[in-house]
Amino acid sequence: MQQQRLLKVLVIGDLGVGKTSIIKRYVHQIFSQHYRATIGVDFALKILNWDHKTVVRLQLWDIAGQERYGNMTRVYYREAVGALVVFDMTRASTFQAVLKWKRDLDSKVALGNGRPIPAVLLGNKCDQLSTGLCSKLPKLENFTRDHGFVGWYETSAKDNTNIDAAIMCLVESIMAVE
Ligand code: GTP
Ligand code: MG
């Protein structure tokens, strides 16, 4: 018998970090330089043949960056089982906001056993870094562990770098929970 799993996954982070672009790249294999801010929330669905007996329906909730200043996140986060927390590697302020997003998340949604839902940290727009992140790598390793992320990736929606890997890491963590 085949079983289906519906997984609600949140994509959060500050304005313009690339949440919508990451989802468009992952689901539709497209990228646009044009920026149009998301209003409220958008949705996308990706079907994964997880293993020979499991089909995963991945429901991606693309939350507008501007929602950090609103009260709607409690409604959007309900029943989510995982999250991608995104910052823009070229803008430090978006990295500082990561902990605000993580705290917002953990205060409003949790697993049945009370533990935080799995979250993966994405440093997006890595194609724009002239210098490598190598020197900062150990630091982000600690940051990830100290703040309860299950992993972190440098990503580029533009060049299609690590998008699949980051989302696979999250889905694996979610599937390992039960
Ligand atoms: P909000 O909906 O306002 O919260 O923004 P968002 O996080 O959805 O950002 P969006 O995906 O709309 O991207 C913002 C801008 O960054 C757009 O102009 C994108 O083309 C650009 N962008 C997104 N990802 C990348 C990337 O990996 N590399 C580069 N160079 N630009 C990117
Ligand atoms: Mg958007």
Side-chain angles (χ1 to χ4, degrees):
M1 272 289 275
Q2 261 215 347
Q3 62 161 356
Q4 290 218 4
R5 292 280 311 273
L6 177 69
L7 305 183
K8 173 175 173 179
V9 164
L10 306 168
V11 186
I12 57 177
D14 263 6
L15 276 168
V17 296
K19 300 175 295 296
T20 300
S21 301
I22 287 166
I23 293 169
K24 289 242 159 78
R25 167 60 75 191
Y26 182 64
V27 176
H28 306 293
Q29 281 83 46
I30 53 169
F31 176 77
S32 163
Q33 300 276 0
H34 180 72
Y35 175 39
R36 211 169 88 226
T38 304
I39 308 295
V41 62
D42 261 328
F43 307 93
L45 184 72
K46 174 100 169 176
I47 313 279
L48 300 172
N49 292 308
W50 188 248
D51 59 30
H52 62 282
K53 59 179 199 304
T54 319
V55 171
V56 168
R57 297 168 63 86
L58 196 61
Q59 194 181 68
L60 296 159
W61 285 52
D62 179 7
I63 315 285
Q66 61 193 24
E67 288 296 332
R68 174 146 74 95
Y69 313 103
N71 292 316
M72 285 304 288
T73 55
R74 186 181 299 281
V75 177
Y76 297 148
Y77 292 176
R78 195 171 290 155
E79 305 201 334
V81 294
L84 301 172
V85 184
V86 186
F87 69 98
D88 177 343
M89 297 190 83
T90 69
R91 282 187 295 143
S93 66
T94 68
F95 178 67
Q96 276 139 30
V98 159
L99 289 184
K100 294 184 188 146
W101 282 102
K102 183 72 162 68
R103 256 182 245 121
D104 190 53
L105 181 71
D106 291 342
S107 68
K108 291 172 179 167
V109 67
L111 296 174
N113 61 13
R115 294 191 41 91
I117 64 170
V120 172
L121 180 63
L122 274 65
N124 193 42
K125 308 196 189 182
C126 71
D127 58 278
Q128 289 198 327
L129 294 183
S130 42
T131 61
L133 192 79
C134 300
S135 55
K136 291 188 194 148
L137 239 154
K139 218 171 118 213
L140 214 46
E141 212 63 74
N142 291 341
F143 180 89
T144 300
R145 186 167 8 89
D146 293 350
H147 298 290
F149 290 94
V150 299
W152 78 278
Y153 292 84
E154 280 180 45
T155 62
S156 167
K158 184 170 179 231
D159 293 352
N160 196 16
T161 306
N162 279 340
I163 305 289
D164 280 33
I167 296 174
M168 275 309 107
C169 168
L170 180 64
V171 176
E172 264 161 23
S173 300
I174 294 168
M175 296 299 277
V177 162
E178 283 115 69

